[in-house]
C-alpha cells in the first residue's frame, strides 16, 4: 500500500497518543477520497499489532509484523462491503464481534478496521454500538469515513474523531510534479482544484482523464464560437456524464469569478481563453444556466433509468434559447 508524505504528521500525532496511553479505542478517521486514508489506517494497524515497536515504527521483523505484511494476521479484522455489494450488513459485524469474545490468538492487540463506515447498514451500525461502548481488552477499532455527517450520531459519539486535512498547495503541487515531472504548473493547480485538493485523486485525473477533459474544453470553446451549443451534446452524453457536468459547472462558475475580477480564484487555471469566452455572457444567464445544469446533474445521479440523452438535449436547447432571447 502506497505511503504519502502528507500522512507523516497525522501518523506521528496519532501514534503519540497511543504511546502516551491516551489513544482512544475507536478512531474515526475522516479523509476524503484521494488522501490515502486507507494507507494511514493500515500503518496504524501495523504499529498497534507489532510486538517489538521501534518508537514510532513497527519493527517489520516480529511474527505479528510478518503476518501483517502478508495480511493474514488472525487478530486483524477488516470489514468492508463484499464484491458486488455497496453495504456492510449486520451478519458481517456479528461475525467479527463474536471473534472478539475470544482471546487474541497471538496474545497481543486486536484491531478491527472498517474501511468505509458509511457502508454499514443501520442495523449493522447499531450492532457495532454495543461493542464500541464496552470494547474487549486490548482491542482497537479504526473506522474510515468520507462523510461523517451521514453516520449515526450515537456511533460518532463513541469515537475519537480525526480529520486528515489536505496538504497546502505548495506541497501538493510539488508532489504532483515529482510524479509527473513535465506537467505544467497550471495543470497541477487545476487538477488539485477539481479534486478537492486531494493529491492522489488529482494525479489520477492528470494520468487518466486529462486528455479527455482537454477535448471536452476544446469542444465547448468551439461550440461557443460557432454559437451552436447543441453540437456540444456528444461531449456530455457519455457514461461519465456526471463527471463531465462537474467540469462544465466549474467552468461556468469560473466565468462568474472572471466577471468580478476574481480570476485568481478560478478552478480551471489552464483554461483562461475558455473562461474569458464564457464570461462574455450576462451574469443572469450564467446563473440561470448553472442552476439548470446543477439540477440536471442531480437528476442523473439520483433517478435510475433516466433518459440521459433527452435530459441533456433539453438543457442544451434551453441554454441556447436563453442566449438567443437575450441577444
Amino acid at each position: 500500500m502506497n505511503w504519502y508524505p502528507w500522512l507523516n504528521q497525522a501518523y506521528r500525532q496519532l501514534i503519540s497518543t497511543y504511546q502516551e496511553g491516551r489513544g482512544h479505542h475507536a478512531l474515526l478517521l475522516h479523509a476524503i477520497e484521494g488522501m490515502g486514508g486507507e494507507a494511514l489506517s493500515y500503518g496504524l494497524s501495523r504499529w498497534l499489532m507489532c510486538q517489538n515497536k521501534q518508537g514510532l515504527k513497527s519493527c517489520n521483523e516480529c511474527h505479528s509484523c510478518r503476518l501483517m505484511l502478508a495480511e493474514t494476521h488472525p487478530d486483524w479484522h477488516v470489514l468492508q462491503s463484499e464484491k458486488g455489494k455497496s453495504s456492510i450488513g449486520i451478519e458481517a459485524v456479528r461475525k467479527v464481534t463474536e471473534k472478539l469474545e475470544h482471546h487474541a490468538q497471538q496474545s497481543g492487540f486486536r484491531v478491527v478496521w472498517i474501511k468505509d463506515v458509511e457502508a454499514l447498514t443501520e442495523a449493522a451500525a447499531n450492532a457495532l454500538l454495543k461493542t464500541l461502548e464496552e470494547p474487549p481488552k486490548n482491542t482497537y477499532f479504526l473506522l474510515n469515513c468520507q462523510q461523517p455527517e451521514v453516520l449515526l450520531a450515537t456511533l460518532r459519539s463513541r469515537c475519537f474523531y480525526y480529520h486528515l486535512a489536505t496538504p497546502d498547495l505548495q506541497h501538493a503541487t510539488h508532489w504532483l510534479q515529482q510524479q509527473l515531472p513535465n506537467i505544467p504548473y497550471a495543470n497541477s493547480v487545476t487538477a488539485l482544484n477539481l479534486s478537492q485538493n486531494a493529491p492522489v485523486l488529482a494525479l489520477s485525473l492528470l494520468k487518466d482523464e486529462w486528455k479527455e477533459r482537454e477535448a471536452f474544453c476544446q469542444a465547448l470553446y468551439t461550440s461557443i464560437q460557432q454559437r451552436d451549443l447543441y453540437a456540444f451534446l456528444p461531449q456530455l452524453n457519455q457514461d461519465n456524464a456526471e463527471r463531465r457536468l462537474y467540469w462544465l459547472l466549474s467552468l461556468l462558475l469560473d466565468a462568474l469569478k472572471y466577471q468580478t475580477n476574481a480570476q485568481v480564484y478560478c478552478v480551471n487555471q489552464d483554461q483562461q481563453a475558455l473562461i474569458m469566452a464564457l464570461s462574455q455572457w450576462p451574469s443572469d444567464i450564467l446563473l440561470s444556466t448553472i442552476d439548470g445544469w446543477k439540477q440536471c446533474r442531480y437528476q442523473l445521479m439520483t433517478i435510475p433509468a433516466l433518459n440521459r440523452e433527452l435530459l441533456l438535449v433539453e438543457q442544451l436547447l434551453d441554454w441556447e434559447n436563453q442566449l438567443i432571447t437575450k441577444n
Side-chain angles (χ1 to χ4, degrees):
M1 192 171 292
N2 292 331
W3 187 261
Y4 307 105
W6 56 86
L7 299 178
N8 291 335
Q9 183 180 359
Y11 177 83
R12 286 193 295 267
Q13 287 177 343
L14 291 168
I15 293 296
S16 294
T17 64
Y18 292 112
Q19 287 177 318
E20 296 163 7
R22 298 183 293 107
H24 199 280
H25 70 275
L27 171 67
L28 180 63
L29 177 61
H30 174 200
I32 62 172
E33 182 185 359
M35 277 297 294
E38 284 196 5
L40 179 56
S41 289
Y42 177 66
L44 294 173
S45 295
R46 285 187 54 189
W47 186 88
L48 288 167
M49 302 300 279
C50 179
Q51 296 169 333
N52 186 27
K53 298 175 178 63
Q54 308 293 311
L56 293 170
K57 297 181 179 180
S58 48
C59 72
N60 294 332
E61 296 176 358
C62 69
H63 185 55
S64 281
C65 279
R66 289 197 296 270
L67 289 172
M68 286 297 294
L69 287 168
E71 298 189 4
T72 57
H73 201 299
D75 298 321
W76 183 54
H77 308 286
V78 181
L79 261 178
Q80 58 186 328
S81 52
E82 296 177 9
K83 190 174 181 179
K85 294 185 178 180
S86 59
S87 61
I88 303 172
I90 189 171
E91 287 305 316
V93 172
R94 283 176 176 164
K95 284 180 183 178
V96 170
T97 53
E98 284 171 8
K99 291 178 182 178
L100 298 179
E101 293 173 1
H102 306 290
H103 292 294
Q105 294 189 39
Q106 297 295 315
S107 302
F109 289 128
R110 292 180 295 189
V111 171
V112 178
W113 178 20
I114 305 179
K115 286 189 174 184
D116 179 10
V117 191
E118 295 98 323
L120 290 170
T121 63
E122 187 173 350
N126 282 318
L128 182 65
L129 281 175
K130 188 174 181 182
T131 308
L132 291 180
E133 287 173 350
E134 302 174 9
K137 187 178 180 182
N138 294 332
T139 301
Y140 292 93
F141 295 82
L142 303 177
L143 291 73
N144 283 63
C145 73
Q146 293 186 31
Q147 296 177 295
E149 66 276 6
V150 306
L151 303 178
L152 294 176
T154 47
L155 182 64
R156 295 198 308 268
S157 67
R158 285 158 178 77
C159 302
F160 173 75
Y161 170 83
Y162 187 92
H163 177 231
L164 181 61
T166 55
D168 62 45
L169 182 64
Q170 181 181 353
H171 287 97
T173 53
H174 176 70
W175 181 80
L176 281 176
Q177 292 184 316
Q178 283 182 318
Q179 312 308 308
L180 300 170
N182 298 320
I183 191 152
Y185 179 76
N187 291 17
S188 297
V189 173
T190 300
L192 285 164
N193 288 341
L194 289 169
S195 306
Q196 295 182 277
N197 295 321
V200 180
L201 206 57
L203 179 62
S204 176
L205 171 59
L206 289 165
K207 291 172 69 175
D208 303 330
E209 295 184 296
W210 201 253
K211 288 184 179 178
E212 184 181 327
R213 178 183 161 275
E214 286 183 329
F216 174 91
C217 292
Q218 182 57 51
L220 177 58
Y221 186 78
T222 301
S223 294
I224 292 169
Q225 297 297 100
Q226 296 177 352
R227 297 181 178 273
D228 182 10
L229 291 174
Y230 181 76
F232 188 54
L233 177 63
Q235 282 293 331
L236 291 175
N237 190 25
Q238 302 282 336
D239 289 339
N240 64 341
E242 296 91 343
R243 178 76 168 154
R244 288 167 176 260
L245 289 180
Y246 172 66
W247 294 342
L248 177 59
L249 284 164
S250 72
L251 289 161
L252 292 168
L253 287 165
D254 281 350
L256 284 174
K257 295 171 191 172
Y258 199 93
Q259 288 181 345
T260 56
N261 296 317
Q263 296 93 322
V264 68
Y265 299 108
C266 285
V267 167
N268 300 275
Q269 292 291 328
D270 65 325
Q271 294 293 331
Q272 294 298 318
L274 175 54
I275 294 168
M276 191 182 296
L278 288 168
S279 71
Q280 302 306 306
W281 295 340
S283 58
D284 60 333
I285 287 183
L286 284 173
L287 287 167
S288 173
T289 302
I290 288 168
D291 286 341
W293 284 119
K294 281 171 67 177
Q295 181 64 20
C296 178
R297 184 168 184 261
Y298 177 77
Q299 289 177 300
L300 286 175
M301 294 173 69
T302 58
I303 303 175
L306 190 68
N307 188 323
R308 182 179 66 204
E309 183 173 359
L310 185 60
L311 183 67
L312 293 170
V313 167
E314 183 181 6
Q315 187 58 39
L316 278 171
L317 292 177
D318 181 62
W319 188 9
E320 198 168 84
N321 287 335
Q322 284 189 68
L323 292 170
I324 293 170
T325 303
K326 198 72 177 182
N327 290 333

PDB file of all heavy atoms in Angstrom, residues 268-295:
ATOM      1  N   ASN A 268     -10.247  26.403 -12.971  1.00  0.00           N
ATOM      2  CA  ASN A 268      -9.608  25.916 -14.200  1.00  0.00           C
ATOM      3  C   ASN A 268      -8.532  26.894 -14.674  1.00  0.00           C
ATOM      4  O   ASN A 268      -8.718  27.618 -15.654  1.00  0.00           O
ATOM      5  CB  ASN A 268     -10.679  25.712 -15.274  1.00  0.00           C
ATOM      6  CG  ASN A 268     -11.732  24.708 -14.849  1.00  0.00           C
ATOM      7  OD1 ASN A 268     -11.553  23.506 -15.006  1.00  0.00           O
ATOM      8  ND2 ASN A 268     -12.837  25.198 -14.287  1.00  0.00           N
ATOM      9  N   GLN A 269      -7.410  26.871 -14.005  1.00  0.00           N
ATOM     10  CA  GLN A 269      -6.335  27.815 -14.305  1.00  0.00           C
ATOM     11  C   GLN A 269      -5.710  27.571 -15.674  1.00  0.00           C
ATOM     12  O   GLN A 269      -5.024  28.441 -16.208  1.00  0.00           O
ATOM     13  CB  GLN A 269      -5.263  27.722 -13.214  1.00  0.00           C
ATOM     14  CG  GLN A 269      -5.691  28.227 -11.851  1.00  0.00           C
ATOM     15  CD  GLN A 269      -5.888  29.732 -11.828  1.00  0.00           C
ATOM     16  OE1 GLN A 269      -5.213  30.474 -12.536  1.00  0.00           O
ATOM     17  NE2 GLN A 269      -6.834  30.197 -11.007  1.00  0.00           N
ATOM     18  N   ASP A 270      -5.942  26.418 -16.259  1.00  0.00           N
ATOM     19  CA  ASP A 270      -5.366  26.098 -17.572  1.00  0.00           C
ATOM     20  C   ASP A 270      -6.299  26.452 -18.726  1.00  0.00           C
ATOM     21  O   ASP A 270      -5.969  26.186 -19.881  1.00  0.00           O
ATOM     22  CB  ASP A 270      -5.036  24.604 -17.633  1.00  0.00           C
ATOM     23  CG  ASP A 270      -6.294  23.735 -17.560  1.00  0.00           C
ATOM     24  OD1 ASP A 270      -7.237  24.133 -16.851  1.00  0.00           O
ATOM     25  OD2 ASP A 270      -6.329  22.676 -18.223  1.00  0.00           O
ATOM     26  N   GLN A 271      -7.464  27.033 -18.431  1.00  0.00           N
ATOM     27  CA  GLN A 271      -8.460  27.290 -19.480  1.00  0.00           C
ATOM     28  C   GLN A 271      -8.885  28.762 -19.496  1.00  0.00           C
ATOM     29  O   GLN A 271     -10.069  29.080 -19.547  1.00  0.00           O
ATOM     30  CB  GLN A 271      -9.683  26.386 -19.274  1.00  0.00           C
ATOM     31  CG  GLN A 271      -9.417  24.903 -19.451  1.00  0.00           C
ATOM     32  CD  GLN A 271      -9.084  24.544 -20.886  1.00  0.00           C
ATOM     33  OE1 GLN A 271      -9.533  25.202 -21.830  1.00  0.00           O
ATOM     34  NE2 GLN A 271      -8.287  23.489 -21.065  1.00  0.00           N
ATOM     35  N   GLN A 272      -7.911  29.643 -19.486  1.00  0.00           N
ATOM     36  CA  GLN A 272      -8.212  31.074 -19.416  1.00  0.00           C
ATOM     37  C   GLN A 272      -9.014  31.570 -20.623  1.00  0.00           C
ATOM     38  O   GLN A 272      -9.943  32.368 -20.470  1.00  0.00           O
ATOM     39  CB  GLN A 272      -6.903  31.867 -19.283  1.00  0.00           C
ATOM     40  CG  GLN A 272      -6.153  31.619 -17.975  1.00  0.00           C
ATOM     41  CD  GLN A 272      -6.946  32.021 -16.738  1.00  0.00           C
ATOM     42  OE1 GLN A 272      -7.593  33.068 -16.728  1.00  0.00           O
ATOM     43  NE2 GLN A 272      -6.932  31.175 -15.726  1.00  0.00           N
ATOM     44  N   ALA A 273      -8.682  31.114 -21.820  1.00  0.00           N
ATOM     45  CA  ALA A 273      -9.391  31.574 -23.020  1.00  0.00           C
ATOM     46  C   ALA A 273     -10.855  31.144 -22.987  1.00  0.00           C
ATOM     47  O   ALA A 273     -11.753  31.929 -23.334  1.00  0.00           O
ATOM     48  CB  ALA A 273      -8.701  31.023 -24.269  1.00  0.00           C
ATOM     49  N   LEU A 274     -11.105  29.920 -22.575  1.00  0.00           N
ATOM     50  CA  LEU A 274     -12.480  29.421 -22.495  1.00  0.00           C
ATOM     51  C   LEU A 274     -13.271  30.175 -21.428  1.00  0.00           C
ATOM     52  O   LEU A 274     -14.427  30.555 -21.649  1.00  0.00           O
ATOM     53  CB  LEU A 274     -12.467  27.921 -22.189  1.00  0.00           C
ATOM     54  CG  LEU A 274     -13.821  27.246 -21.949  1.00  0.00           C
ATOM     55  CD1 LEU A 274     -14.778  27.490 -23.104  1.00  0.00           C
ATOM     56  CD2 LEU A 274     -13.628  25.750 -21.720  1.00  0.00           C
ATOM     57  N   ILE A 275     -12.671  30.412 -20.291  1.00  0.00           N
ATOM     58  CA  ILE A 275     -13.351  31.145 -19.216  1.00  0.00           C
ATOM     59  C   ILE A 275     -13.677  32.562 -19.665  1.00  0.00           C
ATOM     60  O   ILE A 275     -14.768  33.084 -19.403  1.00  0.00           O
ATOM     61  CB  ILE A 275     -12.473  31.159 -17.940  1.00  0.00           C
ATOM     62  CG1 ILE A 275     -12.333  29.739 -17.388  1.00  0.00           C
ATOM     63  CG2 ILE A 275     -13.074  32.075 -16.881  1.00  0.00           C
ATOM     64  CD1 ILE A 275     -11.270  29.600 -16.317  1.00  0.00           C
ATOM     65  N   MET A 276     -12.751  33.185 -20.374  1.00  0.00           N
ATOM     66  CA  MET A 276     -12.984  34.545 -20.872  1.00  0.00           C
ATOM     67  C   MET A 276     -14.153  34.553 -21.854  1.00  0.00           C
ATOM     68  O   MET A 276     -15.002  35.462 -21.833  1.00  0.00           O
ATOM     69  CB  MET A 276     -11.717  35.073 -21.547  1.00  0.00           C
ATOM     70  CG  MET A 276     -11.772  36.573 -21.848  1.00  0.00           C
ATOM     71  SD  MET A 276     -10.279  37.162 -22.687  1.00  0.00           S
ATOM     72  CE  MET A 276      -9.050  36.859 -21.452  1.00  0.00           C
ATOM     73  N   ALA A 277     -14.234  33.537 -22.718  1.00  0.00           N
ATOM     74  CA  ALA A 277     -15.339  33.460 -23.686  1.00  0.00           C
ATOM     75  C   ALA A 277     -16.673  33.287 -22.968  1.00  0.00           C
ATOM     76  O   ALA A 277     -17.678  33.929 -23.320  1.00  0.00           O
ATOM     77  CB  ALA A 277     -15.097  32.298 -24.648  1.00  0.00           C
ATOM     78  N   LEU A 278     -16.708  32.441 -21.953  1.00  0.00           N
ATOM     79  CA  LEU A 278     -17.939  32.232 -21.178  1.00  0.00           C
ATOM     80  C   LEU A 278     -18.335  33.489 -20.403  1.00  0.00           C
ATOM     81  O   LEU A 278     -19.518  33.771 -20.213  1.00  0.00           O
ATOM     82  CB  LEU A 278     -17.751  31.063 -20.202  1.00  0.00           C
ATOM     83  CG  LEU A 278     -17.698  29.656 -20.806  1.00  0.00           C
ATOM     84  CD1 LEU A 278     -17.219  28.654 -19.762  1.00  0.00           C
ATOM     85  CD2 LEU A 278     -19.067  29.239 -21.336  1.00  0.00           C
ATOM     86  N   SER A 279     -17.348  34.238 -19.972  1.00  0.00           N
ATOM     87  CA  SER A 279     -17.623  35.430 -19.155  1.00  0.00           C
ATOM     88  C   SER A 279     -18.245  36.565 -19.966  1.00  0.00           C
ATOM     89  O   SER A 279     -18.701  37.555 -19.390  1.00  0.00           O
ATOM     90  CB  SER A 279     -16.337  35.912 -18.474  1.00  0.00           C
ATOM     91  OG  SER A 279     -15.451  36.487 -19.423  1.00  0.00           O
ATOM     92  N   GLN A 280     -18.273  36.421 -21.311  1.00  0.00           N
ATOM     93  CA  GLN A 280     -18.897  37.450 -22.141  1.00  0.00           C
ATOM     94  C   GLN A 280     -20.412  37.403 -22.036  1.00  0.00           C
ATOM     95  O   GLN A 280     -21.099  38.355 -22.416  1.00  0.00           O
ATOM     96  CB  GLN A 280     -18.473  37.270 -23.606  1.00  0.00           C
ATOM     97  CG  GLN A 280     -16.973  37.322 -23.837  1.00  0.00           C
ATOM     98  CD  GLN A 280     -16.333  38.577 -23.286  1.00  0.00           C
ATOM     99  OE1 GLN A 280     -16.765  39.695 -23.619  1.00  0.00           O
ATOM    100  NE2 GLN A 280     -15.331  38.410 -22.444  1.00  0.00           N
ATOM    101  N   TRP A 281     -20.955  36.302 -21.533  1.00  0.00           N
ATOM    102  CA  TRP A 281     -22.399  36.192 -21.384  1.00  0.00           C
ATOM    103  C   TRP A 281     -22.867  36.949 -20.151  1.00  0.00           C
ATOM    104  O   TRP A 281     -22.139  37.025 -19.141  1.00  0.00           O
ATOM    105  CB  TRP A 281     -22.805  34.727 -21.279  1.00  0.00           C
ATOM    106  CG  TRP A 281     -22.537  33.943 -22.521  1.00  0.00           C
ATOM    107  CD1 TRP A 281     -22.343  34.429 -23.785  1.00  0.00           C
ATOM    108  CD2 TRP A 281     -22.420  32.525 -22.621  1.00  0.00           C
ATOM    109  NE1 TRP A 281     -22.125  33.407 -24.676  1.00  0.00           N
ATOM    110  CE2 TRP A 281     -22.165  32.225 -24.003  1.00  0.00           C
ATOM    111  CE3 TRP A 281     -22.515  31.482 -21.713  1.00  0.00           C
ATOM    112  CZ2 TRP A 281     -22.003  30.930 -24.469  1.00  0.00           C
ATOM    113  CZ3 TRP A 281     -22.367  30.182 -22.179  1.00  0.00           C
ATOM    114  CH2 TRP A 281     -22.109  29.904 -23.537  1.00  0.00           C
ATOM    115  N   PRO A 282     -24.065  37.501 -20.172  1.00  0.00           N
ATOM    116  CA  PRO A 282     -24.585  38.222 -19.000  1.00  0.00           C
ATOM    117  C   PRO A 282     -24.625  37.322 -17.759  1.00  0.00           C
ATOM    118  O   PRO A 282     -24.869  36.113 -17.860  1.00  0.00           O
ATOM    119  CB  PRO A 282     -26.002  38.625 -19.431  1.00  0.00           C
ATOM    120  CG  PRO A 282     -25.955  38.625 -20.917  1.00  0.00           C
ATOM    121  CD  PRO A 282     -25.008  37.525 -21.299  1.00  0.00           C
ATOM    122  N   SER A 283     -24.403  37.912 -16.615  1.00  0.00           N
ATOM    123  CA  SER A 283     -24.332  37.133 -15.376  1.00  0.00           C
ATOM    124  C   SER A 283     -25.651  36.443 -15.050  1.00  0.00           C
ATOM    125  O   SER A 283     -25.652  35.348 -14.483  1.00  0.00           O
ATOM    126  CB  SER A 283     -23.908  38.031 -14.206  1.00  0.00           C
ATOM    127  OG  SER A 283     -24.807  39.109 -14.055  1.00  0.00           O
ATOM    128  N   ASP A 284     -26.784  37.051 -15.432  1.00  0.00           N
ATOM    129  CA  ASP A 284     -28.067  36.409 -15.132  1.00  0.00           C
ATOM    130  C   ASP A 284     -28.232  35.111 -15.927  1.00  0.00           C
ATOM    131  O   ASP A 284     -28.780  34.125 -15.428  1.00  0.00           O
ATOM    132  CB  ASP A 284     -29.242  37.370 -15.382  1.00  0.00           C
ATOM    133  CG  ASP A 284     -29.311  37.851 -16.817  1.00  0.00           C
ATOM    134  OD1 ASP A 284     -28.260  37.895 -17.483  1.00  0.00           O
ATOM    135  OD2 ASP A 284     -30.419  38.198 -17.286  1.00  0.00           O
ATOM    136  N   ILE A 285     -27.714  35.086 -17.170  1.00  0.00           N
ATOM    137  CA  ILE A 285     -27.760  33.855 -17.967  1.00  0.00           C
ATOM    138  C   ILE A 285     -26.819  32.806 -17.370  1.00  0.00           C
ATOM    139  O   ILE A 285     -27.162  31.615 -17.291  1.00  0.00           O
ATOM    140  CB  ILE A 285     -27.402  34.138 -19.442  1.00  0.00           C
ATOM    141  CG1 ILE A 285     -28.566  34.866 -20.126  1.00  0.00           C
ATOM    142  CG2 ILE A 285     -27.068  32.846 -20.188  1.00  0.00           C
ATOM    143  CD1 ILE A 285     -28.364  35.131 -21.593  1.00  0.00           C
ATOM    144  N   LEU A 286     -25.653  33.243 -16.950  1.00  0.00           N
ATOM    145  CA  LEU A 286     -24.714  32.307 -16.319  1.00  0.00           C
ATOM    146  C   LEU A 286     -25.329  31.679 -15.073  1.00  0.00           C
ATOM    147  O   LEU A 286     -25.250  30.466 -14.866  1.00  0.00           O
ATOM    148  CB  LEU A 286     -23.407  33.016 -15.968  1.00  0.00           C
ATOM    149  CG  LEU A 286     -22.451  33.311 -17.125  1.00  0.00           C
ATOM    150  CD1 LEU A 286     -21.279  34.167 -16.648  1.00  0.00           C
ATOM    151  CD2 LEU A 286     -21.931  32.026 -17.757  1.00  0.00           C
ATOM    152  N   LEU A 287     -25.945  32.503 -14.248  1.00  0.00           N
ATOM    153  CA  LEU A 287     -26.553  31.991 -13.018  1.00  0.00           C
ATOM    154  C   LEU A 287     -27.697  31.027 -13.312  1.00  0.00           C
ATOM    155  O   LEU A 287     -27.817  29.970 -12.687  1.00  0.00           O
ATOM    156  CB  LEU A 287     -27.060  33.164 -12.167  1.00  0.00           C
ATOM    157  CG  LEU A 287     -25.978  33.997 -11.462  1.00  0.00           C
ATOM    158  CD1 LEU A 287     -26.568  35.296 -10.932  1.00  0.00           C
ATOM    159  CD2 LEU A 287     -25.335  33.188 -10.330  1.00  0.00           C
ATOM    160  N   SER A 288     -28.545  31.401 -14.270  1.00  0.00           N
ATOM    161  CA  SER A 288     -29.664  30.533 -14.646  1.00  0.00           C
ATOM    162  C   SER A 288     -29.158  29.214 -15.235  1.00  0.00           C
ATOM    163  O   SER A 288     -29.687  28.130 -14.947  1.00  0.00           O
ATOM    164  CB  SER A 288     -30.554  31.252 -15.661  1.00  0.00           C
ATOM    165  OG  SER A 288     -31.555  30.392 -16.154  1.00  0.00           O
ATOM    166  N   THR A 289     -28.092  29.305 -16.043  1.00  0.00           N
ATOM    167  CA  THR A 289     -27.514  28.111 -16.661  1.00  0.00           C
ATOM    168  C   THR A 289     -26.900  27.195 -15.609  1.00  0.00           C
ATOM    169  O   THR A 289     -27.048  25.964 -15.673  1.00  0.00           O
ATOM    170  CB  THR A 289     -26.440  28.516 -17.693  1.00  0.00           C
ATOM    171  OG1 THR A 289     -27.033  29.360 -18.685  1.00  0.00           O
ATOM    172  CG2 THR A 289     -25.848  27.296 -18.369  1.00  0.00           C
ATOM    173  N   ILE A 290     -26.225  27.785 -14.654  1.00  0.00           N
ATOM    174  CA  ILE A 290     -25.623  26.996 -13.567  1.00  0.00           C
ATOM    175  C   ILE A 290     -26.705  26.240 -12.801  1.00  0.00           C
ATOM    176  O   ILE A 290     -26.577  25.050 -12.520  1.00  0.00           O
ATOM    177  CB  ILE A 290     -24.809  27.912 -12.623  1.00  0.00           C
ATOM    178  CG1 ILE A 290     -23.521  28.366 -13.322  1.00  0.00           C
ATOM    179  CG2 ILE A 290     -24.475  27.198 -11.314  1.00  0.00           C
ATOM    180  CD1 ILE A 290     -22.795  29.493 -12.606  1.00  0.00           C
ATOM    181  N   ASP A 291     -27.794  26.930 -12.488  1.00  0.00           N
ATOM    182  CA  ASP A 291     -28.905  26.276 -11.775  1.00  0.00           C
ATOM    183  C   ASP A 291     -29.460  25.110 -12.594  1.00  0.00           C
ATOM    184  O   ASP A 291     -29.755  24.035 -12.049  1.00  0.00           O
ATOM    185  CB  ASP A 291     -30.020  27.288 -11.488  1.00  0.00           C
ATOM    186  CG  ASP A 291     -29.657  28.250 -10.369  1.00  0.00           C
ATOM    187  OD1 ASP A 291     -28.730  27.934  -9.589  1.00  0.00           O
ATOM    188  OD2 ASP A 291     -30.302  29.306 -10.261  1.00  0.00           O
ATOM    189  N   GLY A 292     -29.617  25.339 -13.904  1.00  0.00           N
ATOM    190  CA  GLY A 292     -30.166  24.300 -14.772  1.00  0.00           C
ATOM    191  C   GLY A 292     -29.272  23.067 -14.834  1.00  0.00           C
ATOM    192  O   GLY A 292     -29.749  21.931 -14.719  1.00  0.00           O
ATOM    193  N   TRP A 293     -27.954  23.268 -14.981  1.00  0.00           N
ATOM    194  CA  TRP A 293     -27.030  22.137 -15.070  1.00  0.00           C
ATOM    195  C   TRP A 293     -26.868  21.440 -13.723  1.00  0.00           C
ATOM    196  O   TRP A 293     -26.663  20.219 -13.675  1.00  0.00           O
ATOM    197  CB  TRP A 293     -25.674  22.595 -15.603  1.00  0.00           C
ATOM    198  CG  TRP A 293     -25.671  22.836 -17.082  1.00  0.00           C
ATOM    199  CD1 TRP A 293     -25.410  24.006 -17.730  1.00  0.00           C
ATOM    200  CD2 TRP A 293     -25.945  21.878 -18.112  1.00  0.00           C
ATOM    201  NE1 TRP A 293     -25.507  23.854 -19.086  1.00  0.00           N
ATOM    202  CE2 TRP A 293     -25.831  22.547 -19.355  1.00  0.00           C
ATOM    203  CE3 TRP A 293     -26.280  20.528 -18.110  1.00  0.00           C
ATOM    204  CZ2 TRP A 293     -26.041  21.902 -20.569  1.00  0.00           C
ATOM    205  CZ3 TRP A 293     -26.494  19.879 -19.325  1.00  0.00           C
ATOM    206  CH2 TRP A 293     -26.371  20.563 -20.534  1.00  0.00           C
ATOM    207  N   LYS A 294     -26.972  22.177 -12.641  1.00  0.00           N
ATOM    208  CA  LYS A 294     -26.913  21.541 -11.311  1.00  0.00           C
ATOM    209  C   LYS A 294     -28.100  20.601 -11.125  1.00  0.00           C
ATOM    210  O   LYS A 294     -27.952  19.474 -10.638  1.00  0.00           O
ATOM    211  CB  LYS A 294     -26.913  22.616 -10.213  1.00  0.00           C
ATOM    212  CG  LYS A 294     -25.562  23.275 -10.001  1.00  0.00           C
ATOM    213  CD  LYS A 294     -25.642  24.463  -9.065  1.00  0.00           C
ATOM    214  CE  LYS A 294     -25.987  24.066  -7.672  1.00  0.00           C
ATOM    215  NZ  LYS A 294     -25.983  25.243  -6.751  1.00  0.00           N
ATOM    216  N   GLN A 295     -29.274  21.063 -11.523  1.00  0.00           N
ATOM    217  CA  GLN A 295     -30.478  20.229 -11.431  1.00  0.00           C
ATOM    218  C   GLN A 295     -30.367  19.016 -12.345  1.00  0.00           C
ATOM    219  O   GLN A 295     -30.733  17.896 -11.971  1.00  0.00           O
ATOM    220  CB  GLN A 295     -31.716  21.064 -11.787  1.00  0.00           C
ATOM    221  CG  GLN A 295     -33.028  20.305 -11.713  1.00  0.00           C
ATOM    222  CD  GLN A 295     -33.385  19.817 -10.316  1.00  0.00           C
ATOM    223  OE1 GLN A 295     -32.879  20.316  -9.320  1.00  0.00           O
ATOM    224  NE2 GLN A 295     -34.251  18.808 -10.244  1.00  0.00           N
TER     225      GLN A 295
END
